[in-house]
Amino acid sequence: MEIKKEILAEINSNYIHAIENKSVKCALVNNKIRDIMRNKEKEGELLFNFSLNLDTLKATDQKNAGNSFIYAGCNVLRESICKKYDLEDFELSQSFISFYDKLEKCNYIMESLIELKDRDIDDRERYHILTKGVQDGGQWELFVNIINKYGLVPKTVMSDTYQSLNPSEVNHLLNRKLRQFNARLFTNNENIDYLKSLYLDDIYRILASCYGLPPKQFDYEYTDKDKKYHIIKGIIPLEFYHEYTDINVNDYACIINYPTQDKPFNKTYTIKYLGNVIEGNKTLYLNLSIEELKKLVIKQLQAKEVVFLGCDFKKAIDEIDGVFDDMSFNYYDTFKTDFFMTKEETLNNYESAINHIVVITGVNLDEGVPTKWKIENSWGEEVGNKGYFVASDTWFDKYVYQAVINKKYLSQELLDELKLEPIELKPWDPLGTVA
């Protein structure tokens, strides 16, 4: 039914005669909606104090790069390196990992397109692959795959470039090449391996020109907290990972909270066509209740280990004060309507999904019950509390979807479940969003 003139006139009259709308309109025409809705009275409940507070390094800054999964993964690993070698500060090269992540994603996409080359031109899976393309974002197993194959290097060995911190144009060029490759598949049914090798050469040239060449071997100089100079000569990236960190990235499992009917708890899942390294690990998710997920996060924090965490950062954030809190924004008083949806409804209706990865470095416990969480972000030290945020427990319940937990903290029952063949979900399932 169309909007009839008499209906529109009634709606307009209702708005005009509601006195509170005048003050709201005056406020909103000159201010951000979020600033008007912010409930400052909540600030006293989210002070930056925690009963369990890990001592961690200063916040990193991903600038305009969308690869928070790489920054968060590096922030987890660098803590181990700093402790082991008594460093004041340290940062791993995110550009090194991003270079190989994009290269491997391009190869993965080309292999997927080859697999689908005999499908109809409007096939939905091909459409999904071509429109999604190469993105900055990823998930834990994609980070793990790059580390297992290529290793790590310090940031001083491969530093940022303008393109690595502003990769949108690079992504655009890579995706143009991938779509061109798919077009050539329709006219070249022979020598596909040769065709792919030509495109890999082009893709490598683009990445090397924008990011620089990743080192095959390097010397690393550093000074420890006691001001003592050290130099490591002739080390290769894989050796640096294996010898200079105490963390084995393969010891961790990705725990999720997706309370939807199609994903029963205590089952494992994977996403079709979500990957980077062809021969690497497939994405694997163990779905648990939010209560069980939180218990595992707390157990790992109590063991002095930080936690890689996937969330929806776009909901209920105050970047200036460094607060994630769903109760701090009063939609009803502003617009006289609520936006409430259950967590299941937000997932099923594409209202919410993982879009950012952070690191949990602390929690406040009141008689064992969490009330707020300490978050290490990767937006630099100018936001929040020198780059760190405080999140309410209710925000955690609603907008946290993923935590990476050392398998030693899992029960035998959960470990056994991880060994079973996972349920494969469609490529466009909300679980497959990347951050």
Side-chain angles (χ1 to χ4, degrees):
M1 184 179 71
E2 75 275 16
I3 301 178
K4 296 181 178 179
K5 290 183 178 180
E6 54 268 29
I7 294 176
L8 186 59
E10 182 180 355
I11 293 172
N12 180 261
S13 176
N14 291 340
Y15 179 83
I16 292 172
H17 289 92
I19 297 175
E20 65 271 17
N21 288 334
K22 295 180 180 179
S23 58
V24 169
K25 185 173 72 172
C26 288
L28 289 175
V29 294
N30 293 310
N31 296 279
K32 293 181 180 178
I33 292 177
R34 186 158 291 185
D35 290 342
I36 299 301
M37 292 191 303
R38 183 81 161 91
N39 181 4
K40 290 292 184 178
E41 294 177 2
K42 287 281 295 180
E43 288 183 357
E45 300 176 20
L46 292 171
L47 299 177
F48 209 77
N49 299 304
F50 307 90
S51 60
L52 177 54
N53 188 4
L54 303 188
D55 186 19
T56 50
L57 301 170
K58 67 181 182 180
T60 54
D61 192 352
Q62 67 186 80
K63 303 292 185 183
N64 293 319
N67 53 355
S68 62
F69 82 107
I70 292 177
Y71 275 79
C74 287
N75 287 343
V76 170
L77 293 178
R78 68 179 180 148
E79 295 293 339
S80 168
I81 296 172
C82 266
K83 290 174 184 175
K84 189 172 183 177
Y85 293 95
D86 201 27
L87 303 180
E88 194 75 44
D89 195 23
F90 179 77
E91 198 168 343
L92 288 162
S93 173
Q94 300 90 1
S95 293
F96 176 86
I97 300 170
S98 186
F99 177 99
Y100 284 118
D101 175 61
K102 290 186 187 299
L103 179 67
E104 291 285 352
K105 280 176 178 172
C106 287
N107 183 63
Y108 190 97
I109 289 171
M110 286 193 287
E111 285 294 321
S112 300
L113 292 171
I114 291 170
E115 179 185 323
L116 298 172
K117 68 182 181 65
D118 295 326
R119 300 272 190 96
D120 291 338
I121 192 68
D122 61 348
D123 177 74
R124 187 175 180 184
E125 288 188 348
R126 180 195 280 116
Y127 172 82
H128 173 81
I129 291 168
L130 287 172
T131 54
K132 181 180 178 183
V134 171
Q135 302 179 25
D136 290 341
Q139 298 204 13
W140 173 253
E141 290 296 351
L142 278 62
F143 178 76
V144 169
N145 287 340
I146 299 301
I147 304 304
N148 282 335
K149 186 170 182 176
Y150 296 103
L152 299 165
V153 303
K155 193 158 192 168
T156 52
V157 172
M158 185 173 178
S159 57
D160 294 324
T161 67
Y162 177 85
Q163 305 302 336
S164 71
L165 294 175
N166 301 272
S168 60
E169 288 182 290
V170 176
N171 294 342
H172 175 69
L173 294 175
L174 295 177
N175 285 316
R176 287 184 68 181
K177 293 303 296 181
L178 291 171
R179 290 163 190 150
Q180 184 188 55
F181 171 79
N182 188 61
R184 298 296 178 265
L185 282 176
F186 285 94
T187 58
N188 186 342
N189 287 320
E190 299 179 1
N191 299 319
I192 289 178
D193 288 342
Y194 176 69
L195 177 68
K196 184 185 150 189
S197 70
L198 294 177
Y199 276 83
L200 273 178
D201 187 76
D202 287 344
I203 288 164
Y204 191 93
R205 188 182 313 111
I206 292 169
L207 288 170
S209 297
C210 293
Y211 283 68
L213 283 169
K216 304 298 183 186
Q217 189 178 49
F218 62 92
D219 298 340
Y220 175 53
E221 298 180 73
Y222 68 93
T223 303
D224 62 27
K225 289 181 180 178
D226 295 328
K227 310 304 179 186
K228 185 177 179 181
Y229 171 83
H230 303 265
I231 184 169
I232 305 165
K233 292 187 176 182
I235 191 167
I236 65 173
L238 270 173
E239 288 176 342
F240 188 79
Y241 161 57
H242 288 297
E243 296 181 18
Y244 293 89
T245 71
D246 288 329
I247 291 179
N248 182 348
V249 292
N250 301 289
D251 288 340
Y252 292 78
C254 190
I255 309 301
I256 60 168
N257 175 242
Y258 269 67
T260 56
Q261 290 188 17
D262 65 325
K263 301 179 185 69
F265 289 149
N266 301 307
K267 299 292 183 183
T268 54
Y269 302 88
T270 189
I271 305 292
K272 191 175 184 180
Y273 295 125
L274 176 60
N276 52 3
V277 178
I278 290 290
E279 70 276 20
N281 300 333
K282 66 167 62 176
T283 53
L284 186 65
Y285 310 95
L286 176 58
N287 197 18
L288 300 180
S289 69
I290 194 65
E291 292 78 18
E292 290 301 313
L293 184 147
K294 286 197 284 189
K295 287 178 183 178
L296 291 171
V297 171
I298 292 169
K299 186 180 290 188
Q300 188 156 307
L301 288 173
Q302 288 172 331
K304 308 300 182 186
E305 294 184 59
V306 299
V307 182
F308 179 105
L309 197 87
C311 65
D312 180 353
F313 84 98
K314 296 179 180 179
K315 305 293 190 301
I317 178 176
D318 186 322
E319 295 182 30
I320 303 302
D321 293 335
V323 173
F324 290 106
D325 180 32
D326 58 302
M327 304 301 289
S328 287
F329 296 90
N330 194 332
Y331 290 89
Y332 187 81
D333 282 354
T334 304
F335 295 108
K336 292 297 180 287
T337 186
D338 75 81
F339 294 85
F340 174 77
M341 298 170 74
T342 65
K343 196 169 187 177
E344 179 178 18
E345 288 172 335
T346 64
L347 291 167
N348 287 338
N349 293 280
Y350 308 99
E351 167 61 17
S352 183
I354 294 175
N355 49 43
H356 191 47
I357 307 292
V358 296
V359 177
I360 293 287
T361 66
V363 61
N364 191 68
L365 299 173
D366 183 0
E367 297 184 354
V369 178
T371 61
K372 55 186 175 179
W373 303 81
K374 181 185 174 189
I375 290 176
E376 177 185 359
N377 215 330
S378 52
W379 297 343
E381 295 187 277
E382 276 65 56
V383 297
N385 192 320
K386 295 185 177 179
Y388 283 76
F389 283 59
V390 57
S392 67
D393 190 56
T394 53
W395 175 89
F396 194 109
D397 287 343
K398 292 179 182 177
Y399 299 121
V400 167
Y401 295 107
Q402 178 188 102
V404 173
I405 302 295
N406 195 309
K407 294 174 186 175
K408 65 185 178 182
Y409 303 122
L410 303 183
S411 67
Q412 188 58 51
E413 182 181 3
L414 294 180
L415 291 172
D416 291 341
E417 180 60 38
L418 284 170
K419 296 175 184 177
L420 300 177
E421 188 66 23
I423 299 167
E424 185 178 74
L425 302 172
K426 294 176 180 178
W428 43 85
D429 190 277
L431 179 56
T433 58
V434 293

